[in-house]
Amino acid sequence: MSGNEKTDGNAVQFAVEGEMTIFRAAELKAAMLPEIARAQEIEVDLSHVTEIDSAGVQLMVAAKLEAILRGKELRFTGHSKPVLDMLDLCDLGGFFGDQIIISSHAS
């Protein structure tokens, strides 16, 4: 994850930077689950994700389900182009229920 973490009472924001692939899935899961456990509202900025594979998508789904099971709110924001492409490929955009903003400047 990144050093962009902000905590405000029961809310936490952090960003994932770089790859969300099988090579980092365990690291990201270990960092993400404690944040879900301690905060009521969790916002994950995906604007700096450079690559995502099925392991990254599985991590997003697992995090969302974990938050739902704990009665927490987890939002993914700032979806990068690779994330948008993967969510579109997997037809999962609606599953997360997050607002997705598509920029005309996306590369």
Side-chain angles (χ1 to χ4, degrees):
M1 302 236 264
S2 78
N4 296 333
E5 181 178 318
K6 289 193 270 183
T7 303
D8 179 20
N10 283 334
V12 64
Q13 297 175 314
F14 56 89
V16 176
E17 294 184 353
E19 298 178 5
M20 281 185 79
T21 64
I22 187 70
F23 302 110
R24 293 190 63 210
E27 167 200 343
L28 293 172
K29 181 180 177 185
M32 199 176 288
L33 290 182
E35 300 295 342
I36 294 170
R38 75 179 170 112
Q40 188 63 32
E41 294 181 26
I42 305 98
E43 185 173 296
V44 182
D45 180 358
L46 301 175
S47 63
H48 297 290
V49 173
T50 57
E51 183 179 354
I52 184 168
D53 64 7
S54 60
V57 173
Q58 289 176 18
L59 178 61
M60 290 176 67
V61 170
K64 188 70 170 187
L65 293 177
E66 181 71 18
I68 290 170
L69 287 173
R70 292 175 177 257
K72 314 277 179 101
E73 183 176 342
L74 182 141
R75 292 182 303 276
F76 293 104
T77 63
H79 303 74
S80 69
K81 175 108 172 65
V83 173
L84 289 174
D85 289 346
M86 182 58 85
L87 293 180
D88 186 42
L89 178 69
C90 297
D91 197 23
L92 283 173
F95 170 79
F96 295 103
D98 300 317
Q99 181 179 18
I100 296 175
I101 299 172
I102 301 172
S103 169
S104 62
H105 301 289
S107 54

